[in-house]
Amino acid sequence: LSHRAGLQPNIPMSSLGNYSYGALPDARVERLKYAGEALAQALVGPLAAQMVYSNNGYIVAGAMLEAVTGKPWEDLIQTWVFAPLKLSSAGFGPPGQPGALSQPVGHSVSGNKRIPQPSGDNPAALGPAGRVHMALRDMIAYLAAHRDQPSSFLNAKSWETLHTPPFGGDYALGWVVRPDGTLWHNGSNTVWYGEILVDKKAGVVCTAVGNDGAPETQAAVAQALFSARAAALA
């Protein structure tokens, strides 16, 4: 989770066609296959030597949990994260009804055109690497948990471990620790882009999202995020 395993960031794009897009009743078989493919790639460097962001790492971690518990990662995150934090809108794949042009909807970008992609997302095997959706109200609730660190969810040691870079630098377990001590991250599946911020000291959490992944959208989302933080602190 610290991206220090030496795993490649992704498997080859040409391999993604071997995996199912859309919902799967149980993604464990494909996730294990994906993890095996990721682990068979040449390493990017020695163990723990450098931080290289790796979607593969999250998928391997998800497959490990499935092997230990005998349950799909989707069931585990529902039981251990969504339910206790009351994230009622959280689900998998794109938001809205499958195949329906619900709003908001993600867009691919071609030149100056934004093209709606209501079913656009990563293969189901990539669930642990970023295939969750939720309403903004639930994202705020999720971020508030990282701010308030309720002991009913994780004990104090686990919160500290989650938010502390284990190998130095600025990357903890799924969080960038900024110089001012705030926690930040971003993410995209190419048709959405989002950023999150947790300022524990000031008691502020923020999120901002755009429904395409264009560079100008990313810049606007970043501006919105830090403008929201400034407004909350004012």
Side-chain angles (χ1 to χ4, degrees):
L1 301 181
S2 61
H3 304 289
R4 296 273 184 156
L7 290 169
Q8 294 284 343
N10 299 287
I11 64 171
M13 288 292 293
S14 58
S15 295
L16 291 181
N18 298 325
Y19 298 90
S20 301
Y21 287 76
L24 281 180
D26 189 335
R28 280 180 291 177
V29 171
E30 290 202 2
R31 189 164 293 128
L32 188 61
K33 176 185 175 183
Y34 191 109
E37 189 169 351
L39 290 168
Q41 292 178 288
L43 297 177
V44 298
L47 183 68
Q50 59 182 327
M51 185 274 182
V52 177
Y53 193 93
S54 174
N55 290 320
N56 288 349
Y58 288 123
I59 297 161
V60 169
M64 291 166 65
L65 288 169
E66 291 176 332
V68 169
T69 66
K71 296 179 179 179
W73 171 84
E74 288 80 1
D75 290 355
L76 294 171
I77 196 170
Q78 178 67 47
T79 299
W80 292 96
V81 180
F82 299 167
L85 295 181
K86 298 180 171 59
L87 308 179
S88 60
S89 68
F92 309 100
Q97 297 300 314
L101 192 59
S102 59
Q103 292 291 340
V105 65
H107 290 68
S108 60
V109 178
S110 178
N112 293 325
K113 294 182 178 179
R114 263 69 171 174
I115 304 164
Q117 300 289 344
S119 59
D121 211 330
N122 295 313
L126 274 76
R131 210 167 175 273
V132 169
H133 68 253
M134 67 182 69
L136 289 179
R137 67 177 184 276
D138 280 342
M139 177 56 79
I140 291 294
Y142 174 77
L143 298 176
H146 285 272
R147 176 195 65 197
D148 301 337
Q149 301 183 11
S151 58
S152 58
F153 184 68
L154 292 175
N155 63 37
K157 180 62 177 177
S158 292
W159 282 117
E160 181 184 3
T161 299
L162 192 61
H163 295 161
T164 303
F167 296 100
D170 65 358
Y171 204 88
L173 303 186
W175 288 99
V176 174
V177 182
R178 301 175 70 245
D180 62 2
T182 57
L183 303 174
W184 175 90
H185 218 290
N186 66 341
S188 177
N189 65 353
T190 74
V191 298
W192 294 86
Y193 176 78
E195 296 193 11
I196 52 178
L197 181 78
V198 176
D199 186 339
K200 291 185 279 188
K201 185 182 296 185
V204 171
V205 300
C206 308
T207 184
V209 182
N211 58 343
D212 68 62
E216 60 268 30
T217 300
Q218 295 187 25
V221 166
Q223 181 178 1
L225 183 83
F226 287 98
S227 294
R229 181 196 182 200
L233 293 175

